[in-house]
Amino acid sequence: MAGGKMKKEKSKAQQHTPYQGGISFHKSKGQHILKNPLLVDTIVQKSGIKSTDVVLEIGPGTGNLTKKLLEAGKKVIAVEIDPRMVLELQRRFQGTPYSNRLTVIQGDVLKTELPYFDICVANIPYQISSPLTFKLLAHQPAFRCAIIMFQREFAMRLVAQPGDKLYCRLTVNTQLHARIFHLLKVGRNNFRPPPKVDSSVVRIEPRKPRIDVNQKEWDGFLRICFNRKNKTLGAIFRQKNVISLLEKNYKTVQALKLSHEDPPKETETKLDLSNLDDFTDDEGMDMDGATDDEMEVEDGEAGEVQSEFKGKVLGVLKEADFEEKRSSKLSLQEFLYLLSLFNKAGIHFC
């Protein structure tokens, strides 16, 4: 009897457990809820939210950060994939002055069409860091800024500078679209349950106006440059497969130019571009995926080709004094300049 009574009392106690401890969090879904109220206050303060702002929150969980955002802004739009959290969020603010200023969207943020917002504040599941970052940067109209909690290593890649160990293709791609600032480091013990790694909060400010560049061309160019980021560009662009790819692109562009001057007959064969996919796919970059050295094309140094086109490619590098430079130490402006020189010479990457 005593044993049964103890179990009954334990069950009753669980029913009255506050929501902070009453919902089980799934690490597999990246659910790590901020439990430090001082940290929540600091994040909101550094966000610079205005009383007229519409705030987008991603992954609100049980609403600890949501409450502070509602106090600071005009409206909060919260996107949450877990129906348990959605129910808890609605229950928490039901009947409060905040209820008519909170909109909860249940769904996967990567598959959701985001409404207008002025500022984004989010503690996100780390496994969606890369695709979410680029989804936000592609959002129109451009928002003022985003304050986001990332896994620390991912955050440091975003803010890395030329010559830093973590400087990579992700760095240059994001800095093309935005200015990024590191705000604060966050220890793992500030979360419940604690993740296995530390975190960092960064501020992302979309560039206005945007830098005008063909995104597929840019991506194809960076993939080659960061094939081996610590090799010289001369060594990278001497590889047989790189020269072969660029020469096929070159011939394709020339053929397309001719087709505008002399429209092809319907019986003419279409150019095969399937072998360009490895370089021009617009795939997302996963923070836990391959390193730059792993995102590579097959080395072709043993079978270097000697051709007029190869001389054209290397001539661009020599002309602008890039042959002995390394991608790991080039600035965004230098990458943009080098791409423009290649394009001016008729050399394209998609």
Side-chain angles (χ1 to χ4, degrees), residues 10-28:
K10 183 178 180 182
S11 176
K12 187 176 180 180
Q14 285 179 336
Q15 291 175 5
H16 291 85
T17 301
Y19 67 85
Q20 288 93 340
I23 293 181
S24 58
F25 303 121
H26 301 308
K27 288 187 178 182
S28 61

Side-chain angles (χ1 to χ4, degrees), residues 117-334:
F117 62 94
D118 298 296
I119 186 170
C120 174
V121 183
N123 168 29
I124 65 170
Y126 292 151
Q127 59 264 35
I128 67 168
S129 295
S130 184
L132 177 62
T133 299
F134 287 102
K135 180 181 176 74
L136 289 175
L137 291 176
H139 186 268
Q140 289 293 331
F143 51 92
R144 187 168 75 251
C145 71
I147 310 298
I148 303 182
M149 180 96 67
F150 289 119
Q151 179 177 325
R152 180 162 175 78
E153 183 174 328
F154 184 87
M156 299 316 292
R157 285 178 181 269
L158 294 184
V159 301
Q161 296 299 311
D164 291 350
K165 183 180 179 180
L166 292 177
Y167 190 71
C168 61
R169 185 163 61 99
L170 171 66
T171 310
V172 183
N173 255 325
T174 49
Q175 292 183 9
L176 171 73
H177 299 291
R179 294 180 176 86
I180 308 172
F181 309 91
H182 183 267
L183 297 182
L184 67 151
K185 180 180 178 180
V186 181
R188 63 195 75 182
N189 291 329
N190 288 287
F191 300 89
R192 184 184 60 254
K196 295 180 180 179
V197 294
D198 289 331
S199 306
S200 277
V201 178
V202 302
R203 181 183 180 93
I204 300 174
E205 297 179 0
R207 293 185 184 274
K208 299 176 185 179
R210 291 171 176 260
I211 295 177
D212 186 19
V213 65
N214 181 308
Q215 188 59 49
K216 288 190 175 182
E217 182 81 3
W218 172 255
D219 188 59
F221 169 62
L222 286 189
R223 285 174 183 273
I224 291 178
C225 289
F226 280 97
N227 170 33
R228 284 280 196 268
K229 70 177 184 179
N230 290 315
K231 277 188 177 181
T232 65
L233 291 173
I236 291 173
F237 280 91
R238 279 187 177 89
Q239 293 180 115
K240 180 179 178 180
N241 57 322
V242 172
I243 293 296
S244 176
L245 170 72
L246 296 182
E247 189 166 16
K248 287 179 181 178
N249 282 1
Y250 181 78
K251 290 177 179 178
T252 299
V253 171
Q254 296 307 309
L256 289 173
K257 285 182 179 179
L258 289 174
S259 70
H260 284 295
E261 298 172 4
D262 184 16
K265 298 178 182 179
E266 292 182 0
T267 55
E268 288 187 6
T269 304
K270 292 183 179 180
L271 293 164
D272 181 13
L273 305 181
S274 60
N275 58 345
L276 307 184
D277 289 348
D278 287 344
F279 292 91
T280 58
D281 270 351
D282 245 358
E283 64 181 3
M285 290 172 292
D286 185 76
M287 60 177 287
D288 293 320
T291 62
D292 291 307
D293 284 350
E294 292 170 334
M295 291 187 290
E296 65 184 57
V297 291
E298 180 185 350
D299 282 343
E301 295 173 349
E304 285 191 9
V305 293
Q306 300 296 332
S307 68
E308 181 180 343
F309 181 77
K310 179 181 177 182
K312 186 180 184 71
V313 171
L314 297 180
V316 172
L317 295 175
K318 291 177 181 178
E319 175 190 355
D321 197 28
F322 277 97
E323 192 174 21
E324 296 302 317
K325 292 184 179 180
R326 305 169 195 275
S327 299
S328 60
K329 296 184 178 180
L330 289 187
S331 67
L332 171 64
Q333 290 71 25
E334 287 175 308

Side-chain angles (χ1 to χ4, degrees), residues 53-60 66 69-70 74-80 89 101-106 109 112-122 139:
D53 281 342
V54 175
V55 184
L56 173 69
E57 185 184 10
I58 300 165
T66 311
L69 297 178
L70 285 166
K74 177 183 178 182
K75 180 180 180 181
V76 173
I77 301 169
V79 183
E80 174 59 62
L89 206 61
R101 295 199 286 116
L102 172 64
T103 299
V104 183
I105 300 174
Q106 182 179 339
V109 68
T112 300
E113 184 176 349
L114 299 176
Y116 171 86
F117 62 94
D118 298 296
I119 186 170
C120 174
V121 183
H139 186 268

